[in-house]
Amino acid sequence: MNAFLHRRLALSALLGATLLAAVGCGSMYTLTSEVATYGEWPADRKGGSYAIERLPSQKNSDKRDAIEGAARVALEKAGFTPAADAKAADFVVSIGARSTLTEYSPWEDPLWRHWRSNWRFGPPNRMFYGPFTLRERAYEREVAVLVRERSSGQPVYEARASSDGLSVGDEKVFGAMFQAALSDFPQTKDKPHLVSVTVER
């Protein structure tokens, strides 16, 4: 085998390994949310059984089941367990989720606008992407969790998380945000702080 062919095979193997690594890494990403939590949860008390309560305006939502499923995973990671009978649950949980589209005016000063990875350089057949291009629109996503004692109706814990991105979000995105929102439980931190959660694509 001549030296030229040997170098070509070695380069091909290296590029193949790099591509496989990139594909593997691309299957997960980190979502960072701004979180604030409130309440007076007793330090020695753990999460008990819960039932999710829907408001009248939430009962006919087509996507409600998916959002509640995402919230349930986060609640159970925080130490709560689903009640076999909603009327006997220790806690009643209300959840909310929304995504708001923000569009930017073409006349808006670029200094104040958000950025995303989309600029490129190089010849057309070898284009590289960099991290600083203006984006025209973004979605502001928010989730909220309110935990009340079923017997008294007293609110005992409230958590909120927000993030923004280029997509409206799905149950995986909202699931990560619910996990971020409940990451402080049972402690509270009313000062907004950042929490990162790994999300599978």
Side-chain angles (χ1 to χ4, degrees):
M1 182 182 296
N2 61 45
F4 175 75
L5 183 57
H6 181 76
R7 286 196 299 272
R8 290 292 300 271
L9 289 174
L11 180 59
S12 297
L14 178 60
L15 290 174
T18 302
L19 179 60
L20 287 174
V23 170
C25 293
S27 63
M28 303 183 77
Y29 67 96
T30 299
L31 178 68
T32 300
S33 302
E34 186 177 80
V35 174
T37 51
Y38 312 87
E40 296 180 355
W41 193 276
D44 58 346
R45 185 175 185 179
K46 297 182 180 180
S49 62
Y50 77 93
I52 292 180
E53 179 183 62
R54 290 189 181 188
L55 299 176
S57 60
Q58 298 172 331
K59 289 185 178 180
N60 295 324
S61 175
D62 294 337
K63 297 183 178 180
R64 194 66 191 175
D65 289 341
I67 293 298
E68 287 184 4
R72 287 182 188 278
V73 173
L75 285 164
E76 288 160 32
K77 283 188 175 182
F80 292 91
T81 56
D85 181 1
K87 295 181 179 179
D90 297 320
F91 301 99
V92 175
V93 179
S94 299
I95 64 169
R98 68 177 182 175
S99 185
T100 305
L101 175 62
T102 301
E103 295 187 274
Y104 297 92
S105 165
W107 311 113
E108 188 174 354
D109 191 324
L111 182 62
W112 311 133
R113 296 169 69 180
H114 294 273
W115 303 75
R116 70 177 172 88
S117 176
N118 203 24
W119 61 262
R120 55 189 184 177
F121 61 92
N125 61 332
R126 292 185 180 180
M127 201 68 70
F128 298 91
Y129 291 83
F132 303 112
T133 294
L134 300 174
R135 77 183 178 201
E136 301 303 325
R137 58 175 60 193
Y139 289 90
E140 296 178 352
R141 303 174 295 234
E142 297 176 279
V143 301
V145 180
L146 177 63
V147 182
R148 294 182 289 111
E149 285 186 330
R150 185 190 60 81
S151 58
S152 66
Q154 183 71 24
V156 290
Y157 199 83
E158 180 183 0
R160 295 179 176 272
S162 61
S163 71
D164 60 18
L166 300 179
S167 68
V168 66
D170 56 16
E171 58 267 29
K172 291 182 180 180
V173 169
F174 285 113
M177 292 178 64
F178 279 120
Q179 288 184 46
L182 292 170
S183 62
D184 296 334
F185 183 83
Q187 299 178 351
T188 58
K189 296 179 183 178
D190 58 2
K191 184 177 180 180
H193 54 285
L194 300 180
V195 177
S196 296
V197 176
T198 300
V199 184
E200 294 185 4
R201 293 187 186 276

